[in-house]
Amino acid sequence: MRSRTTATLGAAALVVSALLPTGGASAAPATLATPDISLTNVKAHLSQLQSIATGNGGNRAHGRPGFRASIDYVKGRLDAAGYQTSVQSFTYNGATGYNLIADWPGGDTGNVLMTGAHLDSVRAGPGINDNGSGSAANLEVALTVARQNYRPQRHLRFGWWGAEELGLVGSTNYVNNLSSTERSKIKSYLNFDMVGSPNPGYFAYDGDGSSGSGGPAGSAEIEQVLRAYFQTINVPVQDTAFDGRSDYGPFIRRGIAAGGLFTGAEGRKTTQQAQLWGGQAGVAFDRCYHSSCDTTSNINDTALDRNADAIAHAVWTLGGNAGAQGP
């Protein structure tokens, strides 16, 4: 995540009609089954990213070998699972950067649900919470889609962005280089950046504008779906602003509905937030933000597990009615 100064399942199913083609509402049952995402598997991906960083100068930053190795690891897992993947290159600050795009075959390609996370770290450290956490959670959700042979009404696309830490460079490059026709097919973008902070908060992007300016049309529905998962486990959620700090930025600038989750960066947890969520008041959500101690030891397992399951809930709910599903 870029630097800055701080900043009921049944009900959720009803909002899917706003994001599906005509006739989609009746095809989306209120009890759409969502699989549990394995925390063990998500943490195994984080261990791989840590090993990559350790073997490549301690980081996975843009233009460094650790970033390309991270792209190759994620791509290898997705290729083996049956995704159609592509690596897109771009140049920034004299170095080559990469985005990885993975499409799950099937669904309405004119109505794309895209889920993304940045894969790069800063040069100061391995970037395991920022943003190995979002990248690993998204990867395991994508692999679970394949294991379940989930066949949603909408077309599913996943993205892992490069050079986010240098100004949302990779995601901006992707969005700006789509034709207007292809860009118009992306109806929703879900962004997950830092979802395992060690002193976590539980924040959802303010799609409905209840505490700020909100997002493009459709963003309120995304926020409602994400919040619905946390309602089922009795975890309160607070708003976080679309402040341009992560990769939703280029999507909302083009009018694409967006949403996502966040567990906090360098901002300090308030006393009220500690009462809501536990943890330490007056301490940063992530004391290792953008530093060398952002390792696999810098993860709160409970927050990572909850957020991974919430991502799956959003993908399965917003994806629409499942067709063939099973081994």
Side-chain angles (χ1 to χ4, degrees), residues 39 42-43 46 129 132-134 136-137 195-197 202 263 299-309:
L39 175 63
V42 177
K43 292 188 71 177
L46 291 180
N129 185 40
S133 61
V195 294
S197 300
Y202 293 90
T263 53
I299 291 289
N300 181 286
D301 285 358
T302 299
L304 183 63
D305 191 26
R306 287 170 171 171
N307 279 276
D309 287 339

Side-chain angles (χ1 to χ4, degrees), residues 100-103 111-116 154-161 174-175 178 185-192 222 251 256-257 259 315:
L100 172 63
I101 307 300
D103 285 87
N111 187 0
V112 175
L113 171 62
M114 188 166 191
T115 303
R154 300 174 71 184
H155 181 75
L156 301 184
R157 179 175 299 157
F158 293 83
W160 286 265
W161 310 118
Y174 171 75
V175 173
L178 290 171
K185 294 176 181 178
I186 303 174
K187 306 301 185 185
S188 312
Y189 174 71
L190 309 178
N191 190 73
F192 301 101
I222 295 171
F251 290 87
I256 297 170
V315 170

Side-chain angles (χ1 to χ4, degrees), residues 35-55:
D36 179 68
I37 301 301
S38 167
L39 175 63
T40 299
N41 289 355
V42 177
K43 292 188 71 177
H45 301 317
L46 291 180
S47 293
Q48 289 292 325
L49 296 177
Q50 176 70 67
S51 295
I52 287 168
T54 300

